[in-house]
Amino acid sequence: MQRQSSYADEGGKLYLVPTPIGNLSDITIRAKQILQDADYIACEDTRTSGVLLARIGVKNKLLSFHKYNSKERAPELVEMMQQGTVIAEISDAGMPVISDPGYILVQACIKHGVPVVPLPGPSAFATALIASGFDAQPFTYYGFLPRKSTEQKPYFEQMNQAKATSIFYEAPHRLAKTLKTLATVLPADRQIVAARELTKIHEEFVRGSIAEVSDYFQATPPRGEFVILISPNTEQRQVATWPELIKAVSQLVKTGMSHKDAIKQVASQNQISKNELYDQYHQRREASNE
Ligand code: SAM
């Protein structure tokens, strides 16, 4: 067990500082203060962050920390913080760690007892979720999905069954193809939202069925940054009783199907465990023979 009191001492620590996802006014007063007061700002791309920091009026020393150098850099930064250095970590936009590097540094700090102090602030998925019109509780955030459609399909199957709102990020040049794949797995009338260019001048929400939104983006090339949200599955599954399930198995067996195949089919149709159905089927058959 480990207990961390973020503000107990003046020693070194890691601040996780969110930055705007578009609108520069979304930087908080506290975020700006910490970026100004830290000994260093660790950022993914010192040039990108240099522009942002100049525009919000922060001048400080920058260190690079990105996914390609994170493994070697993390121990160095941890050592600096152990010696009293305060580091503020930012990503190119939004919350560090959310589909961005940072996790390795957070883990290394926790491992070595360096306090990790998170600041609240902008993140694209939460901004999209609250305006989607879908239930915000529960939700599942997937980040970026794999690029190949064969690798995307298992995720879409999960989203199809999910009783939670599903959220993922997608690059504009892949969006039309991804929506086409989505339409092969989920029902065409399932509702989705494409939230585009949040907090920016071209902010837009495209709401509709998968078929409508997919058709729209096949015809209108997607531009800008996107968050995709899929409504929860609200179908009420009919729950069959054990006697009903066993009767269904027996009826299939009477048609000539093997016990094994009949159990497998009934279990799959009712989304229950085939081992459990197997046990119930055989227990009841044995009891009725007695
Ligand atoms: N750390 C960021 C966050 O907290 O959301 C996410 C960074 S991830 C590398 C970048 C992706 O986030 C984009 O490709 C896009 O899918 C989404 N994103 C970032 N800014 C956005 C915006 N203004 N509108 C819509 N999506 C955005």
Side-chain angles (χ1 to χ4, degrees), residues 21 91 93-95 98-100 122-125 144 169-170 195-198 200 225-227:
I21 56 169
S91 65
M95 282 269 173
I98 301 294
S99 297
D100 267 332
S123 191
F125 81 82
F144 288 100
Y169 287 167
E170 188 53 293
R196 183 171 91 88
E197 293 287 90
L198 294 162
K200 304 183 202 175
E225 298 193 281
F226 283 89
V227 182

Side-chain angles (χ1 to χ4, degrees), residues 10-256:
E10 293 299 305
K13 58 186 68 159
L14 177 71
Y15 284 104
L16 298 172
V17 183
T19 54
I21 56 169
N23 189 323
L24 292 183
S25 306
D26 291 334
I27 190 83
T28 68
I29 297 168
R30 181 172 171 225
K32 214 170 140 177
Q33 192 68 53
I34 283 171
L35 291 173
Q36 194 59 70
D37 294 349
D39 296 310
Y40 291 96
I41 300 174
C43 40
E44 272 187 273
D45 182 328
T46 49
R47 273 201 302 184
T48 307
S49 295
V51 172
L52 170 84
L53 293 167
R55 289 170 76 184
I56 61 174
V58 170
K59 219 170 170 201
N60 206 336
K61 300 186 281 301
L62 305 185
L63 290 170
S64 95
F65 183 82
H66 47 72
K67 66 177 172 187
Y68 302 107
N69 72 2
S70 60
K71 287 228 162 73
E72 310 86 71
R73 209 72 163 115
E76 290 168 22
L77 300 187
V78 166
E79 205 181 316
M80 287 165 67
M81 290 183 270
Q82 283 175 320
Q83 285 165 8
T85 304
V86 172
I87 297 181
E89 190 186 358
I90 60 175
S91 65
D92 283 351
M95 282 269 173
V97 184
I98 301 294
S99 297
D100 267 332
Y103 169 69
I104 288 175
L105 188 54
V106 171
Q107 258 201 340
C109 285
I110 293 169
K111 188 169 164 204
H112 292 94
V114 172
V116 178
V117 187
L119 269 67
S123 191
F125 81 82
T127 309
L129 176 63
I130 57 171
S132 65
F134 299 151
D135 229 341
Q137 290 86 222
F139 70 84
T140 306
Y141 168 67
Y142 288 87
F144 288 100
L145 300 180
R147 294 175 186 190
K148 288 192 184 153
S149 57
T150 48
E151 289 170 20
Q152 289 178 341
K153 281 184 180 174
Y155 289 93
F156 292 154
E157 273 151 19
Q158 258 181 44
M159 295 179 197
N160 188 22
Q161 299 301 330
K163 300 290 177 200
T165 296
S166 304
I167 311 172
F168 64 92
Y169 287 167
E170 188 53 293
H173 59 282
R174 282 196 285 270
L175 185 66
K177 183 167 170 253
T178 298
L179 291 176
K180 249 189 181 169
T181 309
L182 185 71
T184 65
V185 180
L186 280 87
D189 61 351
R190 186 81 166 264
Q191 297 299 298
I192 67 167
V193 175
R196 183 171 91 88
E197 293 287 90
L198 294 162
T199 76
K200 304 183 202 175
I201 193 116
H202 294 298
E203 179 176 287
E204 185 183 24
F205 292 87
V206 181
R207 300 185 172 94
S209 68
I210 291 182
E212 288 166 339
V213 175
S214 175
D215 285 352
Y216 174 78
F217 283 114
Q218 307 308 319
T220 318
R223 290 232 182 96
E225 298 193 281
F226 283 89
V227 182
I228 306 299
L229 304 100
I230 300 177
S231 61
N233 181 338
T234 52
E235 265 173 45
Q236 293 295 327
R237 188 159 60 87
Q238 195 71 38
V239 184
T241 62
W242 286 119
E244 284 166 343
L245 293 166
I246 284 151
K247 195 171 158 198
V249 174
S250 302
Q251 276 168 348
L252 288 174
V253 170
K254 275 188 200 147
T255 68

